[in-house]
């Protein structure tokens, strides 16, 4: 039966029975019809003059009115809103558009299949369908729109079709039973709070196609423990009035982070506050890491840093729990402010592939007691080891030409410094505040240019300063060096024949640098072997029992004579 009423009274043009018996209300649209809410003011009280559809609803693909058959092509705004007794709905393949809030508040629905004919499912479509456990989405949809499944508290799993490129604001917010979701490699945009409050979600894979994830997209996902991050190069959190926001909302339960081998960028604040992370591997594909990406990860103890040529700053800012840092061979650059304030680090081995250590890279690592500086480094950058108050001794290799502003400022535990023979410049505050230095050696024959007398502020003027014997007078007269009172000559500085190595005597010890991977052998004056060490691209030191003449051999090269005075 079909009934017609004046349109100004209600929102529909005619009413007709569904195949399943319920009254459905239709409105003409572009030669077809769509199902609409009967009231001009649909909402919680909009059904008071009409009977809400209930039970199992079958929506027809066509309807006849005045002997004319019309295709049913759409479901209008709030058409079935708050039909709490509706238990199932069959949507025909004639439907191409489902408008906003069409089934919102249908708390009796347990499952729904959206046919592939539907190209657009508008926001709020199934919001607060609290008993909906499963949904099959159209493969023609390009977006999961705002709040489409928000508050569907019984929904357990969703497979998003390959046609979808965007998951919009609040799309699955507060789906507290959602434990599994598959995001296809077609999705480029995940907007704010899309999965916020999905407290049963245990793992998530971000595909390589994603170029942006907005703030709080996965906040309050209390069971989330594993993140597989494969987004090749995306932004995260975005900024608002200069402030950046987190995506995972300080989630302290994430314990596993897998960064894909093809990822080239990690955005700012990407995993900030993920306090459950214990270990992170940065793959060699990474070219940029945004500021504070791993800041405030309070349980992080181990970092495997393999990014070969990476830019960024404040990457592991103040992650005080990091105790192990493995820098992979092949890494050429350590970014500026890479590990500032990582006070749990006690030692760092920098491979010989590294040619640049950025400003403040280890600034404030107060637990750091030792660090090797490889012969591939040519400059000690500004404040790179500043405030490393537990650092005990430093050997600056012969490859280094400049020690920049504040490079070792306030390293109060530093007791011994050896400066290589190629250093030409020592900048302001380079060793200022290093009050514990008891001896210093500079192997440069020409005294390095000291750009400001405060370079050595705080160091006792009476410490022994070891310099090449022939250069003592030059140091005594040199700007910045003349403040020291006690000069001692050192001899035996020079190349080891047939190799790139240099050997010299310092403080009654023999130091060999630049031996590459060769074995270094120490003989006494009669040719008896005293010690054998493997260089491993590091400066090595031999302690000798007494003053005298010794021979140093690097690999198979001829030995060099070294005189030691103890």
């Amino acid at each position: 039966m079909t009934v017609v009423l004046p349109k100004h009274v209600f929102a529909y043009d005619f009413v007709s029975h569904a195949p399943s018996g319920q009254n459905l209300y239709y409105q003409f649209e572009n030669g077809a019809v769509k199902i609409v809410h009967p009231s001009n003011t649909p909402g919680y009280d909009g059904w008071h003059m009409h009977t809400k559809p209930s039970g199992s609803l079958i929506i027809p693909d066509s309807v006849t009115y005045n002997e004319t058959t019309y295709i049913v092509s759409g479901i209008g705004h709030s058409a079935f809103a708050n039909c709490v007794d509706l238990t199932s709905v069959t949507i025909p393949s004639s439907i191409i558009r489902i408008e906003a809030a069409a089934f919102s508040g249908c708390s009796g629905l347990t499952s729904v299949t959206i046919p592939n004919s539907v190209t657009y499912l508008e926001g709020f479509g199934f919001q607060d369908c609290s008993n909906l456990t499963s949904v099959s989405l159209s493969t023609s949809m390009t977006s999961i729109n705002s709040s489409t499944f928000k508050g569907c508290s019984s929904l357990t799993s969703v497979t998003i079709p390959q046609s979808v490129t965007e998951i919009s604001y609040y799309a699955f917010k507060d789906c507290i039973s959602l434990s599994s979701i598959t995001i296809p490699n077609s999705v480029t945009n995940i907007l704010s709070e899309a999965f916020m409050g999905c407290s049963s979600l245990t793992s998530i894979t971000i595909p390589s196609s994603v170029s942006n994830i907005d703030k709080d997209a996965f906040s309050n996902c209390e069971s989330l423990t594993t993140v597989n991050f494969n987004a090749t190069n995306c932004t995260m959190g975005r900024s608002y009035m200069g402030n950046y926001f987190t995506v995972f909302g300080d989630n302290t339960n994430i314990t596993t982070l897998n960064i894909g081998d093809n990822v080239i960028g990690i955005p700012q604040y990407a995993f900030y506050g993920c306090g459950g992370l214990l270990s992170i591997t940065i793959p060699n594909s990474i070219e940029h890491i945004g500021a504070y990406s791993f800041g405030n990860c309070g349980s992080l103890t181990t970092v495997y840093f393999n990014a070969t040529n990476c830019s960024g700053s404040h990457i592991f800012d103040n992650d005080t729990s990091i105790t192990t840092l493995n820098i992979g061979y092949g890494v050429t650059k350590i970014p500026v402010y890479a590990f500032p304030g990582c006070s749990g680090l006690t030692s760092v081995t920098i491979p010989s592939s590294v040619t640049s250590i950025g400003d403040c890279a280890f600034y404030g690592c107060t637990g750091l007691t030792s660090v090797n500086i490889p012969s591939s480094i040519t400059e000690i950058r500004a404040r790179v080891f500043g405030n490393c108050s537990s650092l005990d001794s430093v050997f600056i290799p012969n490859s280094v030409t400049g020690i920049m502003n504040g490079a070792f400022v306030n390293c109060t535990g530093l007791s011994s410094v050896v400066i290589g023979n190629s250093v030409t410049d020592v900048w302001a505050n380079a060793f200022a505040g290093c009050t514990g230095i008891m001896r210093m050696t500079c192997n440069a024959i020409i005294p390095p240019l000291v750009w400001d007398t405060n370079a050595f502020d705080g160091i006792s003027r009476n410490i022994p300063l070891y310099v090449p014997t022939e250069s003592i007078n030059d140091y005594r007269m040199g700007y910045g060096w003349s403040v020291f009172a006690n000069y001692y000559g050192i001899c035996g500085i020079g190349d080891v024949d047939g190799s790139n190595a240099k050997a010299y005597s310092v403080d009654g010890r023999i130091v060999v640098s630049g031996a590459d991977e060769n074995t270094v052998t120490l003989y006494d004056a009669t040719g008896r072997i005293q010690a054998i060490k493997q260089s491993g691209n590091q400066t090595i030191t031999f302690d000798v029992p007494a003053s005298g003449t010794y021979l140093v051999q690097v690999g198979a090269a001829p030995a060099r004579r070294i005189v030691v005075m103890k």
Side-chain angles (χ1 to χ4, degrees):
M1 183 180 71
T2 302
V3 178
V4 181
L5 289 173
K7 188 172 181 180
H8 68 274
V9 177
F10 298 111
Y12 57 91
D13 293 309
F14 66 92
V15 59
S16 181
H17 290 308
S20 50
Q22 299 91 341
N23 282 344
L24 296 179
Y25 304 90
Y26 294 93
Q27 187 180 93
F28 295 116
E29 184 179 65
N30 299 323
V33 294
K34 67 178 179 180
I35 299 170
V36 296
H37 192 285
S39 172
N40 273 320
T41 57
Y44 289 101
D45 61 348
W47 289 96
H48 65 282
M49 295 182 65
H50 303 83
T51 302
K52 292 182 181 180
S54 62
S56 297
L57 172 65
I58 298 175
I59 296 174
D61 57 8
S62 63
V63 64
T64 299
Y65 166 66
N66 263 358
E67 299 181 355
T68 300
T69 299
Y70 298 92
I71 298 297
V72 180
S73 64
I75 301 174
H77 185 288
S78 301
F80 298 99
N82 303 305
C83 291
V84 296
D85 294 320
L86 193 62
T87 57
S88 70
V89 60
T90 300
I91 302 173
S93 59
S94 61
I95 300 294
I96 59 175
R97 183 182 180 93
I98 300 174
E99 294 181 5
F103 294 93
S104 65
C106 292
S107 57
L109 281 178
T110 58
S111 66
V112 66
T113 297
I114 299 171
N116 293 337
S117 58
V118 174
T119 59
Y120 191 74
L121 173 59
E122 202 167 350
F124 305 91
F126 293 89
Q127 178 177 289
D128 294 328
C129 292
S130 56
N131 285 304
L132 190 65
T133 60
S134 65
V135 60
S136 176
L137 297 174
S138 165
T139 58
S140 301
M141 294 166 49
T142 59
S143 175
I144 310 294
N145 284 307
S146 176
S147 301
T148 297
F149 297 100
K150 179 183 177 184
C152 292
S153 54
S154 298
L155 193 62
T156 58
S157 66
V158 175
T159 298
I160 298 173
Q162 288 281 348
S163 56
V164 171
T165 60
E166 180 174 276
I167 302 172
S168 193
Y169 304 97
Y170 325 118
F172 295 94
K173 185 176 181 179
D174 295 331
C175 291
I176 60 175
S177 298
L178 189 64
S179 59
S180 173
I181 189 159
T182 301
I183 300 175
N185 207 30
S186 57
V187 171
T188 60
N189 217 6
I190 301 175
L191 299 185
S192 294
E193 302 183 27
F195 297 93
M196 186 177 186
C198 293
S199 55
S200 295
L201 198 62
T202 58
S203 68
I204 191 72
T205 296
I206 309 296
S208 61
S209 58
V210 172
S211 59
N212 175 67
I213 307 176
D214 267 2
K215 72 181 185 73
D216 291 320
F218 296 95
S219 290
N220 298 340
C221 294
E222 298 165 359
S223 299
L224 188 62
T225 59
T226 302
V227 175
N228 301 306
F229 186 82
N230 298 318
T232 306
N233 192 19
C234 80
T235 58
M236 291 175 77
R238 292 189 181 178
S239 64
Y240 176 72
M241 296 182 68
N243 296 315
Y244 276 83
F245 299 91
T246 62
V247 165
F248 294 94
D250 296 342
N251 188 320
T252 58
N253 294 315
I254 297 174
T255 57
T256 302
L257 170 62
N258 300 310
I259 301 173
D261 290 337
N262 294 318
V263 175
I264 63 173
I266 299 175
Q268 297 188 68
Y269 290 91
F271 301 98
Y272 183 90
C274 291
L277 285 174
L278 303 175
S279 173
I280 289 174
T281 298
I282 307 295
N284 58 17
S285 59
I286 296 294
E287 297 176 4
H288 178 76
I289 304 177
Y292 305 102
S293 294
F294 299 98
N296 199 31
C297 292
S299 299
L300 188 62
T301 60
T302 304
V303 175
Y304 298 91
F305 190 88
N306 299 316
T308 54
N309 187 17
C310 173
S311 62
S313 68
H314 295 279
I315 297 169
F316 293 93
D317 193 82
N318 287 308
D319 285 329
T320 59
S321 58
I322 296 176
T323 56
T324 303
L325 171 60
N326 295 300
I327 301 173
Y329 189 81
V331 173
T332 61
K333 181 169 66 175
I334 298 174
V336 298
Y337 285 98
F339 303 94
C342 294
S343 57
L345 282 174
T346 58
S347 66
V348 174
T349 298
I350 301 171
S352 59
S353 58
V354 174
T355 59
S356 172
I357 306 174
D359 294 359
C360 303
F362 296 96
Y363 184 85
C365 292
T366 55
L368 195 62
T369 60
S370 65
V371 63
N372 77 298
I373 301 173
S375 57
S376 51
I377 297 296
T378 58
E379 196 172 66
I380 309 296
R381 297 291 303 170
R383 295 179 177 263
V384 65
F385 297 107
N387 278 21
C388 292
S389 55
S390 297
L391 199 59
D392 176 63
S393 62
V394 170
F395 285 87
I396 298 173
N398 291 331
S399 57
V400 172
T401 59
I403 303 172
M404 306 305 288
N405 292 9
F408 297 94
V409 66
N410 294 327
C411 290
T412 54
L414 201 58
S415 61
S416 174
V417 175
V418 176
I419 299 173
N421 60 19
S422 299
V423 171
T424 59
D425 297 272
V426 178
W427 292 79
N429 295 303
F431 295 95
C434 296
T435 55
I437 290 181
M438 300 174 64
R439 66 181 63 84
M440 183 180 291
T441 300
C442 186
N443 291 307
I445 292 176
I446 299 174
L449 178 61
V450 177
W451 286 86
D452 196 309
T453 54
N454 64 14
F456 302 110
D457 270 4
I459 302 175
S460 171
R461 284 6 185 181
N462 295 316
I463 66 165
L465 177 59
Y466 297 87
V467 298
T469 301
E470 64 268 38
S471 304
I472 288 177
N473 286 335
D474 293 333
Y475 276 86
R476 280 180 172 152
M477 298 173 62
Y479 182 77
W481 297 101
S482 60
V483 297
F484 294 103
N486 297 314
Y487 290 87
Y488 295 86
I490 53 177
C491 60
I493 300 174
D495 297 333
V496 176
D497 293 341
S499 77
N500 295 320
K502 295 184 182 294
Y504 44 90
S505 170
V506 178
D507 296 348
R509 297 174 295 171
I510 293 176
V511 177
V512 181
S513 64
D516 299 328
E517 297 284 350
N518 289 303
T519 299
V520 181
T521 306
L522 179 69
Y523 302 88
D524 66 13
T526 66
R528 288 180 298 184
I529 294 176
Q530 300 297 300
I532 299 175
K533 293 187 177 183
Q534 188 70 33
S535 171
N537 290 309
Q538 301 180 30
T539 298
I540 61 175
T541 303
F542 292 102
D543 290 314
V544 295
S547 300
T549 300
Y550 294 85
L551 301 173
V552 174
Q553 184 181 34
V554 176
R560 176 176 177 81
R561 185 173 66 89
I562 301 292
V563 178
V564 178
M565 303 297 294
K566 292 181 72 71

